[in-house]
Amino acid sequence: MSKRDRTLVCALLLCGLFILSLAAYADKGEQIENSCVHCHFQLPGSSFVGAESHSWTGSIHQRNGVTCDKCHSGNPQAAEEKEAHQGVLPSGNPQSTVYFKSIPSTCGKCHGAQFYKFTQSVHYQMLESTGKGPECVTCHGSMVTSVLRPDNVAALCERCHNERMGIFPYIPQKAKAVLLLLRESKALLDADTKLYHPAEETAKARLIRNARSSLYSATLDWHKFDLDRITGNLEEMYNSLETLASEAPNQ
Ligand code: HEC
Ligand code: HEC
Ligand code: HEC
Ligand code: HEC
Ligand code: HEC
């Protein structure tokens, strides 16, 4: 190996080591950066608090860096428990950011559109007045934050909308049908936008834009739970797409 080669090898090795140490640094940085995550991950899963904490792992929020303090408040820079917990209150405390009546506005800090529509719903009115309406966590889970699908939405609505409680027992089956229609409409629009490529500012481009905007309204209206309005919007979307198809075999 010539001297020059050796220098090159050394330079490469150094480079590699530097990158490795950077990675280690970033790893450490992350741990110190959020003391909530760091400490709570060490709590045993056998305890209530430990199990709740671990349920955040793997969630879409974890993957997007939405840490504990974003919903629970507190000081994620403090390493010591008491200091970190400043402002963190159990969910049963009406002052807590995760008290059931406060959950919508806590989630609404980031999910503004869903929150806004939700405040227009009968559910929100019921939540505010009698406390009997569902809130975000009723349907999405607190930390696992799942999104309901047509095949499991009915069972959730049925918790309150059933014969025994007598509040609109027809709703679960209707919700299932509407959510299925919403999902299928999304797929249909996706397929159609792949099929048609009209030039901008033409009548056909306008039809696609209208269809997209009807679908957007329908999706937003889901959180107002006005099921008839959602189907109305989807009908408008279908009308736009039908006109498009009848006018244009290609282009
Ligand atoms: C050094 C360890 C440590 C740190 C740092 C820490 N926690 Fe905790 N936390 C605990 C332990 C232990 C418990 C359970 C015992 C208890 O109730 O105090 C707990 C309990 C909780 C609870 C349940 C409260 C209740 O009373 O039901 C929440 C919520 C919580 N922590 C959130 C946070 C948040 C948010 C942060 C960061 C801002 C944080 N924790 C930082 C150790 C920690
Ligand atoms: C997206 C918001 C969100 C994030 C992020 C989040 N939580 Fe929660 N957490 C909640 C909500 C809302 C509740 C109340 C659940 C309920 O009412 O069923 C809760 C409940 C809890 C509880 C049960 C005690 C109580 O007060 O009800 C613990 C413990 C807890 N969270 C710890 C954590 C820890 C630790 C993290 C981070 C690793 C975390 N949470 C991340 C929203 C969140
Ligand atoms: C600090 C901001 C923040 C807060 C607070 C927050 N979220 Fe999120 N949430 C996000 C981000 C970022 C994503 C991932 C990107 C996206 O899909 O919007 C996400 C994703 C989601 C998803 C999945 C969306 C999908 O398309 O799969 C749901 C459901 C959700 N959040 C519900 C909640 C609920 C319920 C709360 C309150 C308990 C909450 N979020 C609080 C930022 C936040
Ligand atoms: C009664 C049940 C229910 C309640 C209450 C509820 N959601 Fe949803 N949410 C759903 C369902 C079902 C979907 C899936 C809709 C779809 O597939 O288009 C959804 C979808 C979402 C999504 C994914 C993006 C989207 O709009 O499709 C986010 C984010 C979200 N909800 C946040 C929230 C927040 C924040 C609250 C409280 C202010 C809330 N949800 C209240 C049932 C609910
Ligand atoms: C935690 C209980 C609870 C759950 C879960 C729940 N609801 Fe409701 N819902 C209510 C209450 C309470 C009312 C108001 C009943 C009244 O007006 O007396 C209501 C009213 C409604 C209405 C208004 C009906 C009207 O014409 O005024 C619709 C639509 C609705 N819910 C849809 C749903 C759907 C869809 C789901 C499931 C995704 C769901 N709800 C889950 C409690 C719930």
Side-chain angles (χ1 to χ4, degrees):
M1 209 188 269
S2 78
K3 195 173 165 208
R4 234 187 110 180
D5 283 349
R6 217 173 284 143
T7 324
L8 194 66
V9 168
C10 285
L12 282 175
L13 274 175
L14 263 177
C15 218
L17 273 175
F18 180 66
I19 289 170
L20 275 179
S21 65
L22 262 187
Y25 178 79
D27 215 31
K28 237 185 192 160
E30 186 118 349
Q31 287 180 359
I32 297 163
E33 228 172 67
N34 198 286
S35 64
C36 325
V37 175
H38 181 59
C39 182
H40 274 259
F41 271 21
Q42 291 165 12
L43 300 178
S46 54
S47 71
F48 169 70
V49 170
E52 287 285 303
S53 310
H54 298 310
S55 70
W56 176 75
T57 317
S59 69
I60 188 157
H61 286 134
Q62 184 200 17
R63 279 181 272 130
N64 284 274
V66 181
T67 44
C68 328
D69 48 296
K70 299 286 196 308
C71 295
H72 289 280
S73 87
N75 179 359
Q77 258 97 49
E80 198 259 321
E81 185 183 328
K82 206 163 162 224
E83 211 187 325
H85 281 176
Q86 287 286 338
V88 178
L89 295 166
S91 56
N93 185 324
Q95 302 300 316
S96 168
T97 50
V98 294
Y99 182 62
F100 75 113
K101 283 192 181 184
S102 308
I103 287 174
S105 63
T106 296
C107 310
K109 281 187 292 181
C110 301
H111 301 289
Q114 287 84 5
F115 173 59
Y116 174 68
K117 278 290 172 183
F118 185 67
T119 58
Q120 299 177 340
S121 69
V122 177
H123 283 157
Y124 185 71
Q125 281 170 22
M126 296 312 276
L127 184 68
E128 291 278 284
S129 56
T130 62
K132 284 194 179 132
E135 30 81 8
C136 323
V137 161
T138 317
C139 297
H140 291 292
S142 41
M143 272 147 319
V144 189
T145 33
S146 51
V147 181
L148 291 164
R149 303 175 309 268
D151 62 331
N152 61 7
V153 72
L156 194 286
C157 310
E158 233 162 54
R159 281 200 222 157
C160 303
H161 297 289
N162 55 47
E163 297 288 352
R164 191 174 48 81
M165 292 175 77
I167 28 176
F168 311 118
Y170 66 88
I171 279 179
Q173 287 314 311
K174 189 168 172 181
K176 178 181 176 173
V178 172
L179 192 57
L180 190 63
L181 186 67
L182 188 60
R183 293 275 171 110
E184 306 247 294
S185 305
K186 269 181 204 166
L188 184 77
L189 184 61
D190 278 351
D192 269 22
T193 39
K194 280 197 192 107
L195 198 63
Y196 300 109
H197 303 282
E200 272 177 57
E201 297 311 322
T202 59
K204 283 165 209 151
R206 217 168 301 130
L207 283 168
I208 290 196
R209 202 161 53 230
N210 288 350
R212 205 173 277 135
S213 125
S214 302
L215 177 68
Y216 182 69
S217 304
T219 307
L220 274 188
D221 271 331
W222 176 262
H223 284 94
K224 197 176 165 194
F225 304 102
D226 186 340
L227 301 178
D228 293 328
R229 205 174 137 141
I230 299 171
T231 22
N233 270 314
L234 294 178
E235 253 163 45
E236 276 173 26
M237 184 200 106
Y238 279 92
N239 287 342
S240 300
L241 291 183
E242 247 165 46
T243 318
L244 182 74
S246 66
E247 279 185 4
N250 213 340
Q251 271 298 298

